[in-house]
């Protein structure tokens, strides 16, 4: 009976991927499912009276999380970061709970994974074939963008090829070839540099480290060589995107020079502070003409190590590197995959995708470390009860966020006059929702309630800053007849993203309205010379108006 329950929990852990596709709101679904899964695992441990064992990977992960929590508390940002911290804690706890059972039933885990992934991709193909929308829109709905999807495919296929080998299928070499070829074709079709880099690194390490099949060695050499050539070609073909990443790294290193190196700027504060430094790069003349054309808002550094260094400082980075070191040391048959993922994190944001982190976590659960911290049955029960209470609280928090967000969205459409009252009552649950907060601020701006709009912007300042927010702040000041601060924030929005037409156009209208014709002409000339990043009807209308204005004021 105990074995049946354990295997049922293993299946439930993998069913996350299937329900992820079946849910219409995968962003919210992630946390709900994982919190419920954690509760089921805790209940099993309590009922079965199993003693708790914690690996060195888990211990180091908890130390890093505690360090991040202390940072948040010291900076007074717990209210704005508690939900994301809860989600990270839940993943770490889940890793600790599933590891002993996964290791105990390894063969069943391999089979469950392969069957689940087959089902996952079968459902995805059905969605592609039968839903009357473009494939790219389906990918964006579930994976944010095609790059994240390509990386997910690559990692799942590599893990699948390892499990196929461990199960000793009769034609496992052929199956492995098919799996890796499919991921290669997907990466190539979606032009994902990170995905091709993972494949190239993985195959290179495989044949260098332990290839035993001389008959296929030459094909692996050829496959790896082609992969690395394609990495270079995709970087070259996506030149604008590549140069954009180089600029983000350049600005991020500028942040490192200015920040407290030992402690960093605080957990999840990269998207809050990066725009300030991008603005300084423009103001100090450190942006080339090409970079001015490429810059955009970003919430990630496209380098996990660099972002951890900025947010958590040298202490956080060293702890993170220590976790990676322990994982690689005990990786065993997964060594090539972990090294490939570590290489890919230099040029990507893998840890910012819940579904990618979860698939890696399920694989990491099979890694057994030599150092294990064991607890007595009594202490184990106390810890499990604490985890149960924490999981229930996180579930409550998550459900409240979903219900309240949906209610606010409905009120904005049906009964906007009730929005502010509803928001004021439930502010603590909504303070981590940047898109929703901005919509409420815009509503208040439109009805002339500028003080309320400013209060909401203060909440936004703890989780996100970008040119759109600064432009809106400038317009709020103008509405309050504070022309000086209005101009200052509109100029700030321009310096964050100098290639935006709308920001300069708003400044042009401000100068026109205040009779500053000379300044209006200067801004108009800048708009006229501005190169369109993404051509649109809106920018064409602005350019036509500017052209008429300049002709009139020759």
């Amino acid at each position: 009976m105990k074995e049946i329950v354990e295997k049922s929990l293993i299946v439930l852990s993998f069913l996350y991927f299937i329900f992820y596709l079946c849910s219409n709101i995968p962003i919210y679904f992630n946390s709900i499912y994982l919190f419920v899964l954690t509760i089921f695992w805790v209940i099993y441990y309590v009922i079965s009276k199993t003693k708790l064992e914690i690996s060195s990977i888990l211990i180091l992960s908890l130390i890093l999380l505690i360090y991040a929590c202390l940072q948040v508390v010291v900076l007074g940002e717990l209210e704005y970061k508690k939900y994301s911290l809860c989600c990270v804690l839940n993943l770490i706890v889940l890793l600790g709970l599933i590891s002993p059972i996964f290791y105990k039933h390894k063969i069943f885990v391999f089979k469950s994974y392969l069957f689940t992934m087959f089902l996952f991709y079968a459902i995805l193909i059905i969605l592609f074939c039968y839903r009357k929308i473009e494939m790219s829109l389906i990918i964006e709905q579930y994976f944010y963008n095609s790059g994240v999807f390509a990386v997910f495919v690559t990692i799942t296929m590599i893990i699948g090829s390892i499990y196929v080998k461990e199960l000793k299928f009769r034609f496992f070499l052929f199956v492995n070839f098919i799996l890796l070829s499919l991921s290669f074709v997907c990466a190539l079709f979606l032009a994902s540099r990170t995905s091709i880099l993972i494949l190239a690194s993985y195959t290179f390490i495989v044949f260098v480290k332990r290839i035993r099949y001389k008959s296929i060695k030459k094909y692996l050499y050829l496959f790896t060589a082609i992969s690395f050539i394609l990495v270079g070609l995709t970087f070259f073909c996506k030149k604008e995107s590549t140069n954009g990443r180089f600029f983000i790294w350049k600005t991020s290193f500028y942040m490192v020079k200015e920040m407290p190196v030992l402690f960093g700027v605080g957990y999840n504060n990269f998207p809050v502070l990066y725009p300030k430094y991008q603005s300084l790069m423009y103001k100090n003349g450190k942006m080339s003409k090409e970079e001015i054309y490429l810059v955009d808002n970003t919430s990630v550094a496209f380098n996990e190590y660099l972002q951890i260094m900025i947010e958590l400082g040298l202490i956080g980075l060293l702890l993170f590197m220590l976790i990676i070191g322990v994982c690689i040391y005990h990786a065993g048959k997964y060594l090539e995959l972990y090294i490939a993922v570590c290489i890919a994190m230099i040029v990507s944001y893998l840890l910012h995708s819940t579904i990618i982190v979860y698939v890696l976590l399920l694989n990491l659960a099979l890694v057994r470390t030599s150092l294990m911290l064991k607890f007595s049955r009594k202490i184990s029960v106390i810890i499990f009860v604490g985890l149960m209470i924490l999981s229930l609280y996180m579930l409550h928090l998550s459900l409240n966020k979903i219900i309240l967000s949906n209610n606010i969205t409905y009120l904005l459409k049906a009964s906007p006059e009730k929005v502010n009252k509803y928001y004021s009552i439930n502010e603590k649950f909504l303070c981590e929702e940047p898109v929703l907060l901005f919509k409420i601020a815009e509503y208040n701006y439109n009805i002339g309630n500028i003080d309320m709009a400013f209060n909401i912007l203060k909440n936004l300042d703890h989780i996100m800053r970008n040119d759109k927010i600064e432009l809106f702040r400038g317009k709020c000041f103008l509405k309050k007849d504070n022309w000086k601060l209005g101009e200052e924030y509109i100029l700030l929005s321009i310096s964050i993203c100098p290639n935006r037409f709308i920001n300069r156009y708003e400044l042009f209208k401000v100068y026109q309205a205040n009779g500053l014709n000379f300044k209006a002409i200067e801004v108009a000339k800048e708009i006229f010379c501005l190169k369109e990043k993404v051509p649109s009807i809106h920018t064409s209308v602005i350019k036509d108006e500017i052209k008429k204005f300049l002709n009139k004021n020759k």
Side-chain angles (χ1 to χ4, degrees):
M1 183 64 185
K2 186 179 178 181
E3 187 175 331
I4 293 170
V5 174
E6 288 174 349
K7 287 184 176 180
S8 299
L9 285 169
I10 290 169
V11 170
L12 200 60
S13 299
F14 284 112
L15 281 177
Y16 166 84
F17 299 104
I18 307 302
F19 285 107
Y20 182 87
L21 283 182
C22 296
S23 171
N24 290 322
I25 45 169
I27 294 171
Y28 296 126
F29 173 76
N30 287 340
S31 51
I32 293 288
Y33 190 92
L34 293 176
F35 293 152
V36 172
L37 184 62
T38 304
I39 291 167
F40 283 153
W41 275 100
V42 171
I43 290 170
Y44 162 74
Y45 272 91
V46 172
I47 293 172
S48 64
K49 298 178 181 178
T50 308
K51 292 180 183 179
L52 181 64
E53 294 182 359
I54 300 178
S55 68
S56 52
I57 296 170
L58 195 65
I59 294 166
L60 290 169
S61 300
L62 286 170
I63 291 170
L64 182 58
L65 182 63
I66 290 166
Y67 170 68
C69 287
L70 287 172
Q71 269 194 331
V72 170
V73 171
V74 169
L75 292 170
E77 296 178 337
L78 187 60
E79 196 66 40
Y80 307 95
K81 308 286 172 69
K82 67 179 177 184
Y83 184 72
S84 58
L85 284 169
C86 283
C87 290
V88 175
L89 175 60
N90 188 65
L91 285 170
I92 294 171
V93 168
L94 202 53
L95 173 62
L97 294 173
I98 67 178
S99 290
I101 310 301
F102 268 48
Y103 193 78
K104 181 181 174 182
H105 301 286
K106 276 200 288 188
I107 300 301
F108 183 76
V109 168
F110 296 158
K111 291 178 180 178
S112 299
Y113 174 86
L114 292 171
F115 178 75
T116 307
M117 282 303 148
F118 174 78
L119 204 58
F120 177 87
Y121 286 113
I123 294 169
L124 202 58
I125 289 166
I126 291 168
L127 287 173
F128 288 156
C129 294
Y130 291 99
R131 285 182 65 175
K132 295 179 181 179
I133 54 175
E134 290 183 19
M135 184 176 73
S136 59
L137 294 175
I138 295 173
I139 289 172
E140 284 176 14
Q141 181 185 347
Y142 294 104
F143 296 93
Y144 182 64
N145 62 41
S146 59
V148 174
F149 174 64
V151 171
F152 175 77
V153 171
T154 300
I155 290 173
T156 52
M157 292 296 180
I158 290 174
I159 293 172
S161 70
I162 296 168
Y163 291 174
V164 164
K165 185 180 176 183
E166 288 300 307
L167 288 170
K168 297 178 181 177
F169 283 177
R170 189 175 177 183
F171 303 107
F172 80 86
L173 279 176
F174 176 72
V175 175
N176 281 1
F177 175 76
I178 294 296
L179 291 174
L180 292 175
S181 297
L182 284 171
S183 62
F184 183 76
V185 169
C186 178
L188 200 59
F189 177 72
L190 296 171
S192 171
R193 293 156 293 190
T194 305
S195 188
I196 297 172
L197 182 61
I198 291 172
L199 273 170
S201 306
Y202 175 76
T203 50
F204 177 76
I205 299 162
V206 164
F207 78 67
V208 165
K209 182 178 175 286
R210 59 179 186 182
I211 190 68
R212 297 174 185 174
Y213 305 96
K214 293 181 181 179
S215 59
I216 64 162
K217 193 170 184 178
K218 59 183 178 182
Y219 298 110
L220 272 173
Y221 271 108
L222 182 64
F223 181 77
T224 307
I226 292 169
S227 296
F228 275 113
I229 289 167
L230 284 169
V231 170
L233 283 172
T234 49
F235 269 91
F236 180 77
C237 293
K238 297 177 79 172
K239 193 176 178 182
E240 283 189 8
S241 174
T242 302
N243 289 339
R245 290 194 187 191
F246 282 134
F247 177 75
I248 290 169
W249 295 336
K250 178 180 167 183
T251 309
S252 298
F253 278 115
Y254 180 43
M255 287 179 75
V256 172
K257 289 179 184 177
E258 301 290 322
M259 71 177 204
V261 177
L262 202 59
F263 300 106
V265 297
Y267 171 75
N268 258 7
N269 275 342
F270 179 85
V272 176
L273 293 173
Y274 178 84
K276 172 190 169 184
Y277 289 92
Q278 186 162 288
S279 167
L280 288 172
M281 294 283 282
Y282 177 73
K283 289 175 180 176
N284 297 336
K286 292 182 180 180
M287 270 191 204
S288 65
K289 284 184 178 179
E290 186 184 6
E291 286 169 344
I292 287 172
Y293 172 70
L294 291 170
V295 293
D296 207 339
N297 296 308
T298 182
S299 59
V300 291
F302 288 93
N303 182 319
E304 293 291 4
Y305 307 103
L306 184 57
Q307 187 154 346
I308 289 168
M309 174 69 182
I310 290 167
E311 291 186 349
L312 304 179
L314 194 58
I315 295 171
L317 182 62
L318 289 174
L319 281 168
F320 181 68
M321 295 301 288
L322 192 57
I323 293 167
I324 288 174
V326 173
C327 290
I328 289 174
Y329 182 77
H330 294 284
K333 63 182 83 70
Y334 311 114
L335 178 66
E336 297 89 348
L337 171 64
Y338 291 174
I339 293 174
V341 169
C342 289
I343 291 169
M345 284 197 291
I346 298 170
V347 295
S348 65
Y349 51 98
L350 297 184
L351 300 183
H352 288 76
S353 169
T354 306
I355 196 166
I356 290 176
V357 170
Y358 187 68
V359 76
L360 289 171
L361 179 142
L362 291 178
N363 179 257
L364 193 60
L366 294 167
V367 174
R368 198 74 171 169
T369 60
S370 52
L371 177 63
M372 297 291 290
L373 183 62
K374 298 180 180 181
F375 296 91
S376 66
R377 186 171 292 174
K378 189 177 179 180
I379 294 173
S380 295
V381 170
I382 294 168
I383 292 171
F384 289 139
V385 170
L387 289 175
M388 175 65 80
I389 294 166
L390 186 64
S391 296
L392 287 169
Y393 168 73
M394 291 190 287
L395 183 61
H396 160 74
L397 193 66
S398 193
L399 286 169
N400 267 310
K401 283 173 71 68
I402 293 169
I403 294 165
L404 296 173
S405 297
N406 288 338
N407 288 347
I408 285 279
T409 305
Y410 171 76
L411 287 174
L412 281 167
K413 293 176 182 177
S415 304
E417 69 280 357
K418 298 178 183 177
V419 166
N420 286 338
K421 186 178 179 181
Y422 193 81
Y423 169 75
S424 299
I425 295 168
N426 302 290
E427 186 177 351
K428 64 178 182 179
F429 294 107
L430 297 165
C431 60
E432 292 181 71
E433 299 287 332
V435 176
L436 202 59
L437 286 176
F438 192 74
K439 284 181 180 178
I440 300 168
E442 280 186 316
Y443 162 72
N444 280 283
Y445 174 83
N446 291 331
I447 64 170
N449 191 350
I450 306 303
D451 291 332
M452 186 66 177
F454 275 126
N455 287 334
I456 294 165
L457 284 173
K458 282 180 184 177
N459 282 336
L460 266 173
D461 287 344
H462 291 280
I463 50 177
M464 183 182 285
R465 299 287 289 269
N466 57 40
D467 72 299
K468 189 178 179 181
I469 291 170
E470 301 312 325
L471 176 64
F472 180 75
R473 198 192 310 271
K475 288 166 75 175
C476 286
F477 276 115
L478 290 173
K479 201 101 170 182
K480 294 278 281 185
D481 295 323
N482 192 331
W483 188 87
K484 188 177 179 182
L485 283 175
E487 181 193 28
E488 183 183 319
Y489 279 104
I490 293 174
L491 285 168
L492 177 60
S493 75
I494 292 169
S495 61
I496 291 171
C497 283
N499 51 37
R500 292 276 199 275
F501 275 80
I502 189 65
N503 300 353
R504 292 180 193 271
Y505 181 65
E506 287 292 341
L507 186 64
F508 165 74
K509 287 201 297 183
V510 168
Y511 288 148
Q512 258 197 322
N514 285 276
L516 298 168
N517 208 45
F518 177 72
K519 284 189 174 184
I521 291 169
E522 279 187 348
V523 177
K525 286 177 181 177
E526 289 174 7
I527 294 170
F528 188 74
C529 295
L530 206 59
K531 187 180 175 184
E532 286 184 81
K533 191 173 182 180
V534 181
S536 68
I537 296 171
H538 188 54
T539 53
S540 297
V541 169
I542 290 173
K543 276 209 161 189
D544 287 342
E545 185 183 333
I546 293 300
K547 190 176 180 180
K548 288 175 184 176
F549 173 80
L550 288 173
N551 288 334
K552 189 178 178 181
N553 289 274
K554 276 185 179 180

